[in-house]
Amino acid sequence: MPGAVGFAKAAELVTPAENKRLQAIRDRAIDRILAEIPDTTLNGHRRERLPQNVNISFHFVEGESITLHLDMHGFAVSTGSACFSRSLQGSHVIYGIGGDHERAHGSIRITLGRYNTMEEVDAVVQTLAEVVRELRSISPLGKEDNNKWEDTR
Amino acid sequence: MKFPYSETVLEHFRHPRNVGKIEDADGKAIEGSPACGDMVSVYIKVEPKTNTISDIKFESYGCASNIATGSIITELAKGKTLDEAKKITWREASDALGGLPKIKAHCSVLAIEGLRSAIQNYEERHGLVKEKTATAVETVRKRLKKVMNPITGLDLVRTNLVKDIELQDGNVRVVVDLPSNHQFAPAIREEIEEKIEPLWDVKEVVVEFTE
C-alpha cells in the first residue's frame, strides 16, 4: 500500500518541464564524458533514451572499482559489472544490446533525479576522469605493448 | 549498495602497493581475462643464490577485492623464498586484509594463482622443476582450463572448445572448435602457446582450428 501511494506521488512529480531539465543534464553528462575521457562507449541510443539515464562503458577498467572510488567521492552510481552483482553475471541489458563481457564489466550507469543539478555534472565528470585515469594506470590492459585483447575487441 | 569491504581492503584499494610492471622480470604470469571480469599480472625478480623474491609487482584489471589482494600478496611475498611464497594461501591473504567477502573469493584468488604461476614460470624457465613428471594429456587439459574463451568469459575446457589434445615426443597438438578466422582465434592461440610451452618436456605447441 505505501508503495502504491508513493508511486502515485512519483507519477505526479513527472512533468514535461522536469523531463526536459533532466534531459539537458543527461546530454551534458554524456557529451562531456565521451569527449573528455578516451576509450568510452555509450550504451544505448544517443537521444532516444530515458531522460534521466546515462550509461557508458570505460574500456580497460572494471566497473565495481569505478563505483567504489566514486562512492568515496560522494557520488552514488551503479555498474553492470559481474563483480558488483550477487549472481556474478554481467548486465544482461548490455549483452542484449550487443555488448561483450568487457563492455558490461566496464559499464557505469548514472541515474539522475529531481535533486541533481547541472553543476554536479561538471563535478562527476572531473572525478570520473581522474578515477578512470588512475585505474587504467594499474591495469594490464590498454597498454601499447599488451594490446592483444584490444585488437580483438 | 553498501560495499562489503574491511578498512584494510579499502586502504589497499585506494593505495595499492607495488603496482606496475617489471620489464626484465625473471618470472611472470597473467591470470584471468577481460572477459571474465578480472585479470591480474604478476612479475617477480629472483635472487638466484637464495631463491628469494627480491622484487615483485602486479597489475590489475578488476574489482576492489582483486586490486587489494594483488597488493597484499606483493607485501606477503617480498623477501620470501620461492618455496615459502608458493605456500601463501587465499586465507592468509584474506586474513592480512581483515577478511574478504566470500562472494569475492573468485576475484581475489586470481592474485594468489598469479603469484604461484609467476613462481612456476620462473622455475620452468630456470630448470628448477623438482618433480619432473612427463607431460600428459591431462596436464595439458589442466592448463587449458586457464585459457579463457572470451565469447563467454569461461575457460576453453568448460565451454567445450577443446576438441582434441595429442601428445607425441614433446609435440603438443591442440584442436580448438572454432573457425580459424574467428575474431578471437589469434588471441586464443597465443594464450594456449603461452600456457603450454613452458612445460619442461614440451618442444612444440601446434594450435589448430576446426575450420
Side-chain angles (χ1 to χ4, degrees):
Chain A
M1 188 62 176
V5 174
F7 187 77
K9 183 67 188 170
E12 224 178 271
L13 293 170
V14 178
T15 62
E18 173 63 2
N19 276 349
K20 231 176 135 185
R21 189 187 75 87
L22 289 172
Q23 213 163 309
I25 299 177
R26 173 199 78 187
D27 289 343
R28 184 175 168 87
I30 292 176
D31 288 343
R32 284 202 53 189
I33 293 170
L34 295 181
E36 295 172 33
I37 306 179
D39 295 307
T40 42
T41 304
L42 176 68
N43 294 310
H45 193 275
R46 184 72 190 72
R47 303 285 166 200
E48 287 167 28
R49 61 190 305 130
L50 291 171
Q52 84 285 20
N53 173 289
V54 177
N55 193 321
I56 292 176
S57 290
F58 299 84
H59 300 284
F60 319 126
V61 282
E62 189 279 326
E64 194 222 57
S65 289
I66 301 177
T67 305
L68 183 51
H69 271 297
L70 286 183
D71 186 76
M72 291 169 178
H73 285 87
F75 298 103
V77 302
S78 185
T79 171
S81 171
C83 277
F84 192 66
S85 68
R86 275 174 224 284
S87 60
L88 295 180
Q89 294 287 317
S91 162
H92 65 272
V93 178
I94 305 281
Y95 301 145
I97 59 170
D100 60 10
H101 288 263
E102 205 223 324
R103 198 163 132 197
H105 297 316
S107 68
I108 294 292
R109 187 191 66 205
I110 304 173
T111 314
L112 303 164
R114 57 197 290 239
Y115 299 111
N116 289 116
T117 64
M118 205 54 110
E119 288 70 45
E120 285 168 346
V121 171
D122 299 323
V124 81
V125 172
Q126 197 192 332
T127 309
L128 254 175
E130 283 165 21
V131 164
V132 169
R133 196 184 318 115
E134 178 86 358
L135 288 172
R136 281 182 181 160
S137 76
I138 70 167
S139 170
L141 297 176
K143 310 265 165 73
E144 277 168 44
D145 55 342
N146 192 9
N147 57 0
K148 63 180 179 186
W149 293 100
E150 219 182 328
D151 292 339
T152 55
R153 199 175 61 231
Chain B
M1 168 162 173
K2 184 126 174 45
F3 293 93
Y5 295 124
S6 72
E7 273 308 310
T8 319
V9 171
L10 292 176
E11 212 279 312
H12 277 267
F13 170 68
R14 264 189 300 245
H15 308 287
R17 329 287 201 260
N18 305 307
V19 171
K21 194 174 193 150
I22 301 178
E23 291 300 338
D24 57 341
D26 297 322
K28 60 181 173 183
I30 298 180
E31 291 291 336
S33 81
C36 78
D38 282 291
M39 190 168 154
V40 177
S41 315
V42 178
Y43 306 85
I44 54 171
K45 287 290 274 181
V46 177
E47 166 55 54
K49 276 182 209 136
T50 51
N51 269 341
T52 49
I53 297 177
S54 56
D55 196 12
I56 175 164
K57 286 203 182 332
F58 85 103
E59 294 173 310
S60 159
Y61 161 86
C63 59
S65 62
N66 183 281
I67 294 173
T69 316
S71 173
I72 200 81
I73 59 131
T74 64
E75 290 200 325
L76 292 174
K78 209 174 202 168
K80 285 212 167 70
T81 66
L82 296 179
D83 283 336
E84 287 166 350
K86 251 187 264 182
K87 292 188 196 121
I88 297 171
T89 60
W90 179 82
R91 172 61 56 202
E92 282 171 76
S94 172
D95 286 349
L97 285 169
L100 278 167
K102 274 238 168 63
I103 191 163
K104 295 291 184 179
H106 151 88
C107 324
S108 46
V109 83
L110 279 181
I112 312 288
E113 285 175 3
L115 172 63
R116 285 181 193 162
S117 299
I119 295 171
Q120 196 176 10
N121 178 261
Y122 173 84
E123 291 179 333
E124 284 171 0
R125 285 163 62 180
H126 293 79
L128 293 178
V129 182
K130 282 171 197 142
E131 292 151 43
K132 286 201 174 178
T133 44
T135 298
V137 169
E138 267 324 296
T139 328
V140 174
R141 192 184 307 278
K142 210 172 150 197
R143 294 221 164 181
L144 292 178
K145 285 184 184 166
K146 300 227 171 145
V147 179
M148 286 297 149
N149 166 4
I151 306 157
T152 60
L154 298 169
D155 70 83
L156 292 187
V157 176
R158 233 174 112 180
T159 52
N160 295 319
L161 281 190
V162 181
K163 217 173 162 216
D164 198 17
I165 301 169
E166 276 176 32
L167 250 167
Q168 204 169 17
D169 304 327
N171 296 308
V172 180
R173 182 169 158 268
V174 179
V175 183
V176 179
D177 198 2
L178 274 181
S180 56
N181 61 357
H182 190 276
Q183 59 161 335
F184 292 127
I188 289 176
R189 177 195 303 264
E190 204 178 315
E191 260 205 74
I192 292 176
E193 288 170 355
E194 266 175 31
K195 294 279 192 284
I196 308 298
E197 269 168 4
L199 287 166
W200 70 277
D201 57 348
V202 167
K203 290 184 211 129
E204 201 191 0
V205 181
V206 178
V207 180
E208 284 172 21
F209 295 91
T210 41
E211 281 169 50

